[in-house]
Amino acid sequence: MTTADLPGPDSLLRRTLGEWRIGLVAWRLLVLQAADPAVAAGMADYSTYRAHPWRRIEHTMDSGKRLFFSDRDGLRREVARLERTHRRLAGTDGQGRPFTASDPAVRVWVLVTLYECMTAMRELSGCPLVPSELDQMYGEFRAVCAEFELPDDLFPATAADVPAYMDRAIRERLEYSEPVRYLLFDMLREAPAPRRLGRLRPAWPLVRTVSAHLISALTLADLPEAFRERFELRRTRRAALLSFILHRGMRVLMNTLPEHRRYRTPPAGKSLSPQPARAATDRPSRAETSPVRLPSPRRRKGADSRPVRLRTFFRQVLDQTGDGCITAADLQAMAHNVCWPLELAPESEARVYAAFETWWQHLRAGMDADDDGQVTCEEFVTAMLTGIDAGPAYLDEGLHVAVRAVFQAADTDGSGHLCADEYRTIFGGSRVHPAELNHGFLQLDHDGDGRITEDEFVQAFADYFTARTDNTAGSQLLGRP
């Protein structure tokens, strides 16, 4: 396919993909993509969707924005980043079949399902795209896909060929795997509260239960009929009515909203209400450091606080896949999450991944007693305490290699310091409240100049792991104890 002009602000693709109501088919999209065996295997072995669902969804949405709302340079950077990431996702699934996320057919499936979900959104709303509009949007979509340099013959030739492509894939390739079942029925029922919920956080258990029921019903109602038939998924009358009301109601709402309220991602690709950037040396305000505390077990006065902190670190930081143990995939996911918001150059990204691989090999050598490629929480705590008590060099050989790589990656301006924003970028995960991050930064910023040096950063991690009490600054790296 020859290189074509990318879709611009007035393109049908950007206006369709950028609307808030695209969220109504987002779960449908995830289910269809996960039903591909290679995608399911990659999710099972490498994805953080169980432990960090909101972060995983945010990354997916950010990637879509970089792909479909960027200029050609931004698009090519994102394509190259995705290719580097996908090369690392390979292995053997539960049935002994080899898989790789770099498989061209799998990548085409993931892309085409996005286009199909955009057309489904319009059809479900009662205002389907006419053939000329389908051709227009498919042409705009293929102009973006051309940058992936995937074989043309793997894509449907025209917009009119997409339904047959979807039907064939559903009947011949897709599988109803555990990740698909989990996405449909369990993921939202187990999801932790989004960190932006604020004062509504206590109501999350109720909100989660209601939301999970509604999204599951909506997704089952909206999935292609061939998909429901093949995997015997029942579409109830109530679910069909829910779909009718939501899709048509959102269409009416979107048509009545002013332009700047209608889009989650404006067609121009830039925020309609930009926020002023914080200066690099600005310190977090008192309001940002409000007393929101992370829950932790009670300890006897004078007791060694290291085991509790190590278990917290294991649960909140190391166990990225949420399966109760750490493997090479967890450390790889940590490296990915460091690199993701920074958009590093390939060489810098490779250094981060190599540092985390060094850390994993150090962990495995000292903790994986049965050589099964996994480390449990108690194995981690026991081995860390033994190693730390043996001498300070223990951390230098593993943890500090990764910590220094994180610092150097986060120091985007090469100043030799981290400001508060850079610190929050690295540690701003879904399980740690922003106020707690600000508190941790202030504890490490000893001279109050709004900056942390590399040595201070490394020492903070050393203190977090070695301090027997919670009085040192490093012990509050992830917030108040």
Side-chain angles (χ1 to χ4, degrees), residues 195-446:
R195 66 179 183 178
R196 296 175 182 174
L197 209 57
R199 294 181 179 179
L200 295 177
R201 202 176 187 88
W204 174 244
L206 175 61
V207 172
R208 177 173 58 188
T209 300
V210 174
S211 299
H213 177 75
L214 292 177
I215 292 175
S216 291
L218 177 67
T219 303
L220 285 170
D222 292 349
L223 281 167
E225 184 177 356
F227 190 96
R228 295 197 307 271
E229 286 180 354
R230 178 168 182 207
F231 300 119
E232 300 180 353
L233 298 171
R234 183 166 169 260
R235 184 193 197 214
T236 65
R237 290 184 178 181
R238 288 185 179 182
L241 179 61
L242 174 69
S243 174
F244 182 89
I245 293 172
L246 287 179
H247 283 287
R248 301 201 177 215
M250 280 296 288
R251 186 195 80 197
V252 172
L253 177 62
M254 292 296 103
N255 290 337
T256 59
L257 287 176
E259 187 83 356
H260 68 285
R261 299 289 186 187
R262 182 174 180 175
Y263 298 100
R264 179 188 184 276
T265 303
K270 298 179 181 179
S271 175
L272 292 166
S273 303
Q275 298 296 321
R278 186 196 296 270
T281 57
D282 281 356
R283 303 182 70 211
S285 66
R286 181 175 297 274
E288 289 176 309
T289 57
S290 55
V292 182
R293 304 177 74 95
L294 292 173
S296 60
R298 295 181 177 226
R299 298 188 294 275
R300 299 189 310 273
K301 186 174 181 179
D304 187 349
S305 63
R306 293 178 302 172
V308 171
R309 283 202 305 276
L310 289 172
R311 290 187 181 93
T312 299
F313 190 84
F314 184 96
R315 185 178 67 256
Q316 292 188 355
V317 180
L318 285 177
D319 186 13
Q320 291 286 308
T321 54
D323 59 358
C325 62
I326 54 175
T327 66
D330 291 285
L331 276 293
Q332 183 171 309
M334 290 176 67
H336 171 80
N337 292 322
V338 169
C339 297
W340 176 267
L342 301 174
E343 295 191 61
L344 299 175
E347 308 79 35
S348 300
E349 184 179 280
R351 285 195 292 270
V352 173
Y353 274 92
F356 276 84
E357 175 62 21
T358 297
W359 187 16
W360 164 244
Q361 294 301 333
H362 182 250
L363 290 174
R364 183 177 181 180
M367 302 178 188
D368 185 14
D370 53 5
D371 198 31
D372 63 351
Q374 299 180 341
V375 174
T376 67
C377 183
E378 290 311 309
E379 286 175 333
F380 172 75
V381 173
T382 301
M384 284 297 295
L385 291 175
T386 301
I388 290 168
D389 289 341
Y394 179 77
L395 295 180
D396 293 338
E397 297 169 1
L399 172 69
H400 288 173
V401 175
V403 170
R404 291 188 184 278
V406 170
F407 182 94
Q408 292 160 14
D411 182 19
T412 52
D413 57 4
S415 65
H417 302 84
L418 292 188
C419 66
D421 280 347
E422 290 170 327
Y423 182 88
R424 281 191 291 262
T425 297
I426 294 300
F427 291 108
S430 60
R431 294 187 177 187
V432 185
H433 194 280
E436 296 298 331
L437 293 174
N438 294 334
H439 174 83
F441 180 87
L442 291 172
Q443 296 303 305
L444 305 187
D445 181 18
H446 300 297

Side-chain angles (χ1 to χ4, degrees), residues 23 26-27 30 47-49 52-64 183 187-188 191 215 264 340:
W27 221 258
L30 293 175
S47 181
T48 62
Y49 73 106
H52 303 278
W54 307 121
R55 185 183 67 195
R56 188 69 195 87
I57 291 170
E58 184 177 358
H59 284 190
T60 300
M61 296 176 75
D62 284 348
S63 183
L183 282 170
M187 181 170 167
L188 287 170
I215 292 175
R264 179 188 184 276
W340 176 267

